[in-house]
Amino acid sequence: MSVTIRDIAKATGLSSGTISRALKNEGGLTEETRRMVVETARSMGYDMGRLRQKKLRRLTFLLHRQHNNMSSSPFYTPVLHGAAEACRKHGIILSFTAVGPADGIVEQIRLHQSDAILCAGYFEPELLAVLRSIGKPLVLIDMKLAGYTSANPDNMMGGYLAARHLLDIGRERIGFISGSLAHFSIRERARGFRQALFNAGVLADPRLEVMMQEGVELEAAAREAMETLLALPHPPDAVFCYNDAAALVAMDACMRAGLKVPYDISIVGFDDIAAAAHARRPLTTLSVDKSALGALGVELLLNGETDEVIERVLPVNLVVRESTVCRPNN
């Protein structure tokens, strides 16, 4: 079998990224380290021809059809813009298309004459396997799957910070409105949420967790989920929603039910879309640098080796607004 970057990393005790930079003669390394890596690579029989990769000229940004809608656009549009700006800096032509399992994806990539592919959001593993079979470099954004290079926000930490914030302001019955847990990002947010409750010694009540109905428009599904929570004999005094779009609908449902936000109930979202700061009650949320996420996807395609898997995570920040904390004169 051919020698890989990971083989050299194991032999030298260095990271795959360090090996890659040394072999590409990039900065940030001592000459001694660079020489040692090159000598080790040659002695192990590494194919140095791999370093002369074809220049990336055309990149296709794929978005699953399920995300190509008004509720998802406030998140994925800035991600696309970040990727586009990175491509402009490197002289790469970026094309965009929304696809699904029945769309003849191989022909789509052929028509775009792509040198590499960025997949944003959830994609079925079977569809990703088809894309990988094309043989082009591939990076996932806002999704993670074993064996694939990916760029994600720190979803688990975001879920943890959301629940921790609600606990810190004295909330005791914290609900969670979730989308499908088939999505990596939602699954991780749920995991962080439950971890914060566990660490605080709070027993998670399954009745306070509602998954939005699939196949229904987000607004209707989020409203139904919030109304389900409010109808409980002991409704929540706070709710964490898996994204801002759902949180804004949930907050509206609470107000229509006569509740005062944040006095009677606190609401937290995730993503910090533009509408979050301009809601009737500005929304507390987890801020994701969406543009940086798109740019990171392009960086991974430019700098990654075809035989190594890199998983990068960007930090998220809690942005506290009036949906959880009362301001003077509010």
Side-chain angles (χ1 to χ4, degrees):
M1 296 178 64
S2 59
V3 177
T4 68
I5 291 285
R6 276 178 286 181
D7 293 330
I8 303 171
K10 186 175 181 180
T12 59
L14 301 173
S15 69
S16 295
T18 298
I19 301 300
S20 179
R21 291 197 302 274
L23 294 176
K24 291 179 179 179
N25 200 31
E26 294 176 349
L29 301 175
T30 65
E31 190 56 39
E32 180 182 359
T33 298
R34 193 187 318 280
R35 187 182 307 111
M36 184 267 286
V37 169
V38 172
E39 290 176 356
T40 302
R42 285 176 175 158
S43 67
M44 294 177 67
Y46 180 75
D47 181 7
M48 305 297 281
R50 293 187 185 190
L51 303 176
R52 296 186 291 275
Q53 296 180 1
K54 176 183 176 183
K55 179 176 173 57
L56 182 57
R57 299 183 183 279
R58 292 179 180 271
L59 172 64
T60 297
F61 186 105
L62 297 181
L63 184 66
H64 199 288
R65 286 196 182 281
Q66 66 174 293
H67 299 307
N68 193 30
N69 52 51
M70 291 295 291
S71 62
S72 296
S73 292
F75 180 85
Y76 288 109
T77 297
V79 174
L80 174 60
H81 288 168
E85 181 60 29
C87 285
R88 277 192 290 272
K89 290 180 180 178
H90 293 282
I92 300 169
I93 299 171
L94 179 71
S95 61
F96 165 82
T97 188
V99 297
D103 289 337
I105 188 66
V106 175
E107 182 59 27
Q108 291 266 11
I109 298 300
R110 186 176 295 116
L111 288 173
H112 283 264
Q113 298 181 322
S114 309
D115 296 320
I117 304 166
L118 280 178
C119 292
Y122 174 77
F123 275 75
E124 295 86 354
E126 296 82 3
L127 186 51
L128 289 176
V130 172
L131 286 168
R132 173 173 270 184
S133 71
I134 298 173
K136 307 289 186 182
L138 173 66
V139 167
L140 309 182
I141 297 178
D142 194 38
M143 183 176 174
K144 180 179 174 182
L145 192 64
Y148 292 81
T149 289
S150 61
N152 284 280
D154 195 340
N155 291 296
M156 182 178 175
M157 178 55 69
Y160 184 93
L161 292 173
R164 184 69 260 173
H165 170 64
L166 292 170
L167 290 166
D168 286 345
I169 62 174
R171 298 305 182 174
E172 297 178 347
R173 291 182 55 77
I174 304 174
F176 177 45
I177 293 179
S178 168
S180 171
L181 296 181
H183 293 236
F184 167 77
S185 60
I186 301 175
R187 195 164 62 247
E188 287 293 287
R189 292 170 194 184
R191 193 158 70 97
F193 169 80
R194 295 191 189 105
Q195 186 67 52
L197 296 183
F198 177 83
N199 288 0
V202 176
L203 182 64
D205 186 345
R207 292 170 297 183
L208 294 178
E209 295 189 19
V210 179
M211 185 180 297
M212 289 173 18
Q213 187 175 346
E214 292 191 60
V216 178
E217 289 292 327
L218 182 141
E219 182 171 354
R223 189 172 301 280
E224 180 184 8
M226 189 67 244
E227 290 172 350
T228 297
L229 288 173
L230 294 179
L232 291 171
H234 301 287
D237 58 9
V239 176
F240 169 46
C241 299
Y242 79 99
N243 71 9
D244 287 349
L248 292 171
V249 173
M251 184 159 56
D252 181 70
C254 290
M255 291 178 171
R256 287 175 184 268
L259 297 176
K260 294 181 180 179
V261 178
Y263 302 94
D264 300 321
I265 189 167
S266 294
I267 308 289
V268 177
F270 203 115
D271 293 337
D272 198 19
I273 63 175
H278 304 292
R280 182 176 168 187
R281 279 292 189 201
L283 182 66
T284 293
T285 185
L286 279 303
S287 177
V288 176
D289 191 335
K290 295 168 279 295
S291 180
L293 198 59
L296 178 56
V298 175
E299 176 191 320
L300 289 171
L301 284 170
L302 288 170
N303 298 328
E305 295 289 334
T306 57
D307 60 6
E308 67 177 331
V309 174
I310 303 172
E311 296 173 352
R312 293 281 298 277
V313 177
L314 291 183
V316 299
N317 298 299
L318 178 68
V319 179
V320 178
R321 300 192 180 107
E322 285 86 337
S323 70
T324 60
V325 175
C326 304
R327 304 297 187 191
N329 302 319
N330 277 356

